[in-house]
Amino acid sequence: MKRSILRGTPRRAAALLAAALTVTAFCAADAVARSYPFGPRTRAVNDLGNQYVPFHAHLWDLLHGRSDGGLLVNWQSGFGSSFLPDLGTYLSSPFALLVVVFPRDEIDLAVYVITVLKTACAGAAMAWLLLRLRPGRWWAAGLLGAAYALCGWSLADASYNPMWLDGLVALPLLCLVGEWALDGRRRLLGVLVVALAWIANFYTAYMATLGAGLFLLLRLWLSGLPRRRALAAAGRATATVALGVGLAAPLVTVVYFGTKHAYPGRVTHFTPVATQDLLARLLPTTYGFASPALFVGTTALLLALALPFHRAAPVRVRAGWSLLVAAVALSLQWTPTHLAWHAFATPNGSPYRQTFVLCALLVVAAWHTLSYGVPAPRALAAATALLALVAAVASRSGLVHAYAWPVLLLSTAGALTGLLLLRRAEAAEAAEAAGAGGAGGVTAPEAGDGRGAEAGATTGDTTGDTGAVGRPGLAGLAVRVRRAEAVRSGAAATASGWGSGRAAGSSADANDGRDADHGHAADHGREAGDGRGRGVGADPAPAGEDPAPAGEDPATAGRGEPRAGRAGARRRVGLAGLAVVVLVGAQLGEAAATSAVATRLRLNHLDDYASWGDRQREQAKAVSEADGWPAHRTDPGREQTVGNDPMVVGGQGAQYYSSLTADVLSRTLTALGGGWTSRGRNVQSLDNAVTDAVFSVGARVHSPPDQHQRWNPRDRGPVTVSRQDVPPLVTVRPATAPDARTGVSAFGPSPYRNQELLLGSRVYTVPALTVRTGDGARPARAPGDRPGTLVEAPRAKAAAHRPTIDAQCPARSEVYLWAPHYSGTARLTDSPAKPLTGRFISDAAKIAAMQRLGTAPVSGHVRIELAPTRTGTVPDGAVGCLDTARLRTAVRGLKATGAEEVTVSDGTVRARLPAGSTGTAVIAAPRIAGWRCAADGAAAEPARTHFGLIAVPLDGSATSVTCTFHPPGLRLGAAVGGASLLTLVLLGTLTAVRRRRTARHPALHPATRPRERITSAL
């Protein structure tokens, strides 16, 4: 078969095998765990259900032209939020576009398929990288590629944070970019790969870039290049990364500035885990939310542990990769390096998000071990002893459960059995090669099995194995390789079915354009230098030689040897095939078990949410029938299903959960009595008549509590919609004094008075209240900076023992209770209408929203019965009595002076105002950074703020206002991106001109002269 046909085949085969093994193990694990889509258990835990699925649903709407908003503004969430930062954080991966081919009601399946594809592509990329680093068995590269894709970090952490999986894919690709920079090749492709990685997910791409940088530094050290050329290679890599990140700057800078304007959330401090917990995560079926998931499979771990003892590998290779793995492992536990890995900010949640870099290095170390031949029994015994020591220390960790030990024992037995079988196959291959050498003039060492330092150098390893050969520099290696090629030219035969495929894989490397003068001459000798990719047999006797030894019958000469050769080949293939089956089976089993355990344990440790079903279908239908945007908003309801209900079921509400939730939005809604979780970044809907009027919420969906959540009351009532008359999206308010405070800081402690500030009318009565315990006593005051009264959970469940709140309200007014730091229920004990039960949930990460409890009786005496579930606080001024008649009057006034027509398109709001409007035009949207407004045709200026909302001053002559949104950082990013693109074009043009000059004047560059690659900034 022609080389052109074989070229690159082993890499493609290894990549396909890695992807197939990854998909098989991933899906098998979910089937075992009975998880979606293979069982009844939901996989939408934590941020997967709260953020990633809703954001992909919004992307589906955007791609199909059904969303409210566009790339700049998401008008469905947070009363109008900046969408481009969210796009760059959650949806900029090319894989996300696959949602377009799925039905809208199968959005959970779309996210699952995207997750599986990302994981499979990570395995394929790693398999490709491994064969690029060193020649070896294609199926072994596929096996180790799958080990990387199915590492503990991927299965336990990234599987429900799909955006992180882009970093898992990016790391081996960025390492390939480093290899190209080392060779001075594929400069444009390298820049594009870096740009794509940073666009897909800049957070994990940052970590992957650091990991690839360490990878390249080690490769430079092992290569033995002269200092000048090593610095040139490092410069090319640095320039490639700089240009790639520059091309991604329009999105990266927007995300960066989005984080600057986001609600700060919680400030955390890093605390390293105990050693036993760290080592425990190397073992299969262990799980822990706040520990590094280092599992890469027992086979890969044993091979990585065996590398220091593998004498066939050069000393520099053994020392270099072992020390790098150890250094990165230690960096996980040291605070300064921990901060460096996470862009100098400890993340909220898992503090070991860089773990996939260490998993990749373990796999690469394992590949270097195996590529020099299966380690000797002594080396495997040493690795097994280290694994036993790891298991002994890890046994003291609470992360190791009883079922981990049988899985570990079976996987270890399978790994050792498979490796020993493979070693026997290698021995049979070496013996066969030795026999062939005796018949055809090739000695056994020259036929080579890749063992021994000199054999390792002959195989053409590009990691600087020349130091182990005794030849100075790479030129000596080139001479050795050319001699080996000449000797072997007549010794190679057809490759066996279970052979390594190295010759074919090496032919691709040899045709990559590298040469001896560039420091990689050994790659030209890979094809001839390994011998394991081809069965080596005795060639026919050369012309002039006797076909048989003296005294041997020519008729029978050669009959026994071919038969023995075929029998040996069959035995070798059988041993290798059995080794493959055992190794693949062991890896698939332990990976599937580890994933299944993580899937089950996550449900016990994290909150979970139901997949799309009847509840979402009914909500979406109700929202669609009531929708009137932009004439009014339709809120999907206070009883939320996930933190981003408007993206899932439609509508335009306050609900919004993102890492980039604007500070002004969170503080404004909190001041108005809204509730939140995730320490302020998950703002909730506020079911309140005044805020509905302020934000033009003309329709509100009311759903029963989500029955998927066990703590919710069992209520299967119908989904209903309430409507109310509200002002338009743009209203006109009286002018404020020049020195008056109109920002969020102007809000006071009472949410009722704050609502009146935004409404512009006094509509609440805030009475004095009396709080009593179940036995009638006055409870203690709350300590600290929260003025209020402590309420404790009663010891008896009887209603007579529950604490109460007494207050006096105007007759027939609507009663609201604001108790952000109270957990439990509250209900009116005497109401002319059916009282409502308000449910309050608060803890260190949550505050409860204001709740409407019902209507005050004719007497005006209000008694609220509390049923606290834990000790909480009832603040002073907790009760508010809303005069609905005053509210209707205020709404009529705002409608009379409000905009006559409002149009909204992505990042632009236009409103036509009544003639002669004076004061301030207020848009019912949070004044997030980036809004610029103008009255009539005047020049646009940064928007003013009216207690957290967008405001435009009017002088009486304007009849319209126009506000446009420009995401902060977009102009800067566009400038950087344009400069990077221009630089890339200029460098490409310069390179093309130089190549054309070289082609026109070949005499200036004689072929006999050592060829020097053109050095450029790339």
Side-chain angles (χ1 to χ4, degrees):
M1 185 177 291
K2 294 182 179 180
R3 290 185 181 181
S4 60
I5 298 177
L6 289 174
R7 189 174 301 151
T9 299
R11 293 186 191 176
R12 289 196 292 268
L16 290 174
L17 177 63
L21 293 177
T22 300
V23 172
T24 300
F26 198 100
C27 295
D30 288 332
V32 170
R34 302 186 67 206
S35 176
Y36 179 90
F38 302 102
R41 291 190 176 92
T42 179
R43 68 182 302 269
V45 299
N46 202 263
D47 289 346
L48 179 62
N50 256 336
Q51 290 181 309
Y52 304 119
V53 171
F55 274 111
H56 280 80
H58 184 72
L59 179 63
W60 191 100
D61 291 335
L62 189 65
L63 294 174
H64 287 84
R66 292 170 48 177
S67 67
D68 294 325
L71 291 176
L72 300 181
V73 179
N74 168 17
W75 286 106
Q76 294 184 260
S77 304
F79 291 139
S81 59
S82 179
F83 182 63
L84 203 54
D86 284 331
L87 178 72
T89 302
Y90 302 104
L91 299 171
S92 53
S93 170
F95 292 92
L97 297 175
L98 293 175
V99 297
V100 75
V101 302
F102 288 84
R104 179 63 165 75
D105 57 357
E106 294 289 352
I107 194 65
D108 296 275
L109 180 62
V111 173
Y112 181 82
V113 171
I114 290 171
T115 302
V116 175
L117 284 178
K118 284 185 180 182
T119 311
C121 287
M126 177 56 75
W128 192 281
L129 172 66
L130 295 179
L131 282 176
R132 176 65 174 74
L133 293 177
R134 281 205 32 94
R137 298 172 176 83
W138 66 268
W139 59 263
L143 191 68
L144 290 177
Y148 168 70
L150 296 169
C151 67
W153 179 87
S154 170
L155 300 176
D157 296 331
S159 61
Y160 69 95
N161 292 281
M163 68 176 185
W164 293 356
L165 289 172
D166 292 288
L168 194 73
V169 179
L171 179 55
L173 295 179
L174 292 175
C175 291
L176 279 172
V177 172
E179 292 293 299
W180 299 337
L182 198 60
D183 298 341
R185 301 171 56 251
R186 296 179 179 173
R187 298 157 186 167
L188 175 59
L189 181 58
V191 171
L192 295 179
V193 168
V194 173
L196 184 61
W198 278 73
I199 288 172
N201 184 250
F202 85 98
Y203 184 57
T204 50
Y206 164 79
M207 302 174 192
T209 303
L210 291 182
L214 296 173
F215 178 95
L216 178 61
L217 289 176
L218 179 58
R219 293 283 288 166
L220 285 171
W221 179 70
L222 292 175
S223 69
L225 286 172
R227 179 179 297 179
R228 176 177 172 274
R229 300 176 72 179
L231 290 175
R236 286 192 296 269
T238 302
T240 299
V241 171
L243 289 175
V245 175
L247 290 180
L251 200 59
V252 173
T253 55
V254 166
V255 176
Y256 172 78
F257 282 97
T259 60
K260 292 298 182 181
H261 296 291
Y263 189 77
R266 180 183 64 170
V267 177
T268 59
H269 300 282
F270 173 68
T271 302
V273 298
T275 302
Q276 59 264 30
D277 290 342
L278 178 71
L279 296 180
R281 299 309 305 277
L282 286 166
L283 307 181
T285 68
T286 58
Y287 175 80
F289 177 74
S291 57
L294 296 171
F295 167 78
V296 290
T298 305
T299 301
L301 182 58
L302 278 173
L303 288 172
L305 293 175
L307 180 58
F309 312 102
H310 192 21
R311 294 186 177 182
V315 175
R316 285 163 65 93
V317 172
R318 288 187 278 162
W321 288 107
S322 300
L323 289 176
L324 181 59
V325 168
V328 173
L330 291 175
S331 74
L332 267 63
Q333 294 287 86
W334 190 36
T335 300
T337 49
H338 158 84
L339 292 174
W341 279 113
H342 295 92
F344 303 97
T346 297
N348 292 321
S350 173
Y352 291 97
R353 300 178 182 183
Q354 79 279 37
T355 303
F356 70 100
V357 176
L358 181 54
C359 293
L361 294 178
L362 284 170
V363 169
V364 172
W367 174 249
H368 276 82
T369 302
L370 192 59
S371 66
Y372 286 101
V374 178
R378 289 185 179 180
L380 287 178
T384 306
L386 286 178
L387 179 60
L389 179 61
V390 168
V393 176
S395 64
R396 297 180 296 170
S397 171
L399 304 179
V400 180
H401 301 280
Y403 46 75
W405 301 118
V407 176
L408 177 62
L409 290 175
L410 288 174
S411 58
T412 303
L416 290 174
T417 301
L419 292 174
L420 291 174
L421 286 171
L422 190 59
R423 182 171 175 80
R424 291 187 63 184
E426 283 187 351
E429 184 181 3
E432 186 178 344
V442 181
T443 61
E446 286 173 336
D449 63 353
R451 293 189 293 269
E454 188 164 346
T458 306
T459 59
D461 182 24
T462 61
T463 56
D465 301 349
T466 54
V469 185
R471 292 240 181 201
L474 292 172
L477 178 59
V479 173
R480 181 178 297 276
V481 169
R482 286 194 289 270
R483 290 176 180 174
E485 281 186 333
V487 173
R488 292 185 184 85
S489 60
T494 46
S496 65
W498 291 102
S500 67
R502 294 184 182 183
S506 301
S507 67
D509 283 348
N511 284 276
D512 279 344
R514 295 188 287 186
D515 53 33
D517 296 307
H518 199 60
H520 295 276
D523 288 292
H524 293 282
R526 293 185 186 179
E527 187 172 8
D530 197 338
R532 276 198 300 259
R534 299 174 180 265
V536 181
D539 286 345
E545 284 194 17
D546 293 334
E552 186 173 347
D553 184 2
T556 60
R559 290 184 182 176
E561 283 194 5
R563 291 178 181 174
R566 287 194 296 270
R570 284 195 296 269
R571 181 172 179 273
R572 174 166 49 85
V573 170
L575 287 172
L578 183 58
V580 173
V581 171
V582 173
L583 291 173
V584 170
Q587 179 162 305
L588 285 179
E590 65 176 333
T594 302
S595 180
V597 168
T599 299
R600 291 292 299 272
L601 292 181
R602 272 198 302 267
L603 291 173
N604 298 331
H605 290 83
L606 302 174
D607 53 324
D608 59 273
Y609 307 90
S611 303
W612 179 280
D614 292 338
R615 176 180 175 85
Q616 293 89 338
R617 193 173 294 110
E618 292 176 4
Q619 288 177 322
K621 181 181 178 182
V623 169
S624 178
E625 292 175 350
D627 194 18
W629 175 258
H632 66 80
R633 287 187 168 104
T634 300
D635 194 302
R638 177 75 187 88
E639 286 292 347
Q640 65 184 44
T641 307
V642 296
N644 278 304
D645 269 354
M647 297 189 199
V648 179
V649 298
Q652 310 84 27
Q655 269 187 286
Y656 180 46
Y657 179 27
S658 168
S659 298
L660 303 164
T661 301
D663 179 81
V664 63
L665 171 67
S666 187
R667 294 187 186 279
T668 298
L669 293 181
T670 301
L672 299 178
W676 45 251
T677 64
S678 298
R679 298 174 178 86
R681 292 191 171 181
N682 185 353
V683 293
Q684 301 173 344
S685 173
L686 180 57
D687 190 355
N688 179 275
V690 177
T691 55
D692 281 353
V694 168
F695 290 102
S696 191
V697 179
R700 177 173 291 277
V701 176
H702 302 274
S703 304
D706 184 8
Q707 300 301 289
H708 178 79
Q709 307 299 343
R710 297 182 299 273
W711 54 80
N712 281 341
R714 300 299 93 183
D715 181 357
R716 300 184 181 276
V719 174
T720 60
V721 177
S722 63
R723 300 175 183 267
Q724 64 175 355
D725 192 28
V726 294
L729 197 66
V730 179
T731 55
V732 177
R733 312 299 180 88
T736 57
D739 57 345
R741 292 190 306 157
T742 57
V744 178
S745 61
F747 285 127
S750 172
Y752 304 110
R753 299 305 179 212
N754 295 337
Q755 290 181 13
E756 291 173 339
L757 274 177
L758 272 178
L759 182 67
S761 301
R762 183 59 66 90
V763 293
Y764 278 111
T765 298
V766 182
L769 51 86
T770 302
V771 182
R772 297 189 182 276
T773 62
D775 56 6
R778 298 290 295 269
R781 297 285 296 176
D785 57 353
R786 296 176 183 172
T789 305
L790 286 176
V791 290
E792 299 179 353
R795 297 179 180 179
K797 295 184 179 180
H801 297 279
R802 293 175 180 172
T804 58
I805 300 175
D806 289 279
Q808 189 70 29
C809 287
R812 304 295 185 182
S813 60
E814 287 190 352
V815 179
Y816 287 85
L817 177 65
W818 170 67
H821 303 290
Y822 166 74
S823 286
T825 61
R827 63 187 300 273
L828 292 176
T829 59
D830 184 15
S831 175
K834 182 180 179 180
L836 305 174
T837 299
R839 293 186 298 115
F840 299 77
I841 301 176
S842 71
D843 56 29
K846 305 180 182 71
I847 66 170
M850 179 188 297
Q851 298 275 355
R852 177 175 176 269
L853 301 183
T855 305
V858 176
S859 65
H861 180 261
V862 173
R863 169 163 290 185
I864 302 172
E865 183 182 270
L866 304 177
T869 56
R870 63 167 65 95
T871 300
T873 305
V874 174
D876 298 338
V879 175
C881 312
L882 175 63
D883 189 324
T884 56
R886 289 185 179 179
L887 176 61
R888 288 193 294 270
T889 301
V891 168
R892 284 195 296 269
L894 290 175
K895 289 183 66 177
T897 60
E900 298 174 347
E901 182 182 4
V902 178
T903 59
V904 179
S905 59
D906 194 2
T908 302
V909 178
R910 292 185 176 88
R912 182 162 54 86
L913 305 177
S917 295
T918 59
T920 303
V922 177
I923 300 177
R927 202 298 189 195
I928 58 178
W931 281 106
R932 298 178 64 85
C933 299
D936 280 346
E941 297 179 354
R944 307 285 181 87
T945 178
H946 180 76
F947 304 108
L949 304 186
I950 302 170
V952 186
L954 303 174
D955 59 4
S957 62
T959 58
S960 67
V961 294
T962 301
C963 291
T964 56
F965 182 73
H966 302 277
L970 183 58
R971 288 190 177 92
L972 174 62
V976 174
S980 299
L981 182 60
L982 179 60
T983 303
L984 193 62
V985 170
L986 291 176
L987 290 174
T989 303
L990 179 61
T991 302
V993 169
R994 287 182 177 179
R995 287 178 178 174
R996 179 171 296 182
R997 288 179 178 177
T998 302
R1000 289 180 178 178
H1001 305 285
L1004 298 178
H1005 302 274
T1008 57
R1009 179 182 176 182
R1011 185 155 50 102
E1012 180 74 16
R1013 292 283 179 184
I1014 296 174
T1015 303
S1016 71
L1018 294 181

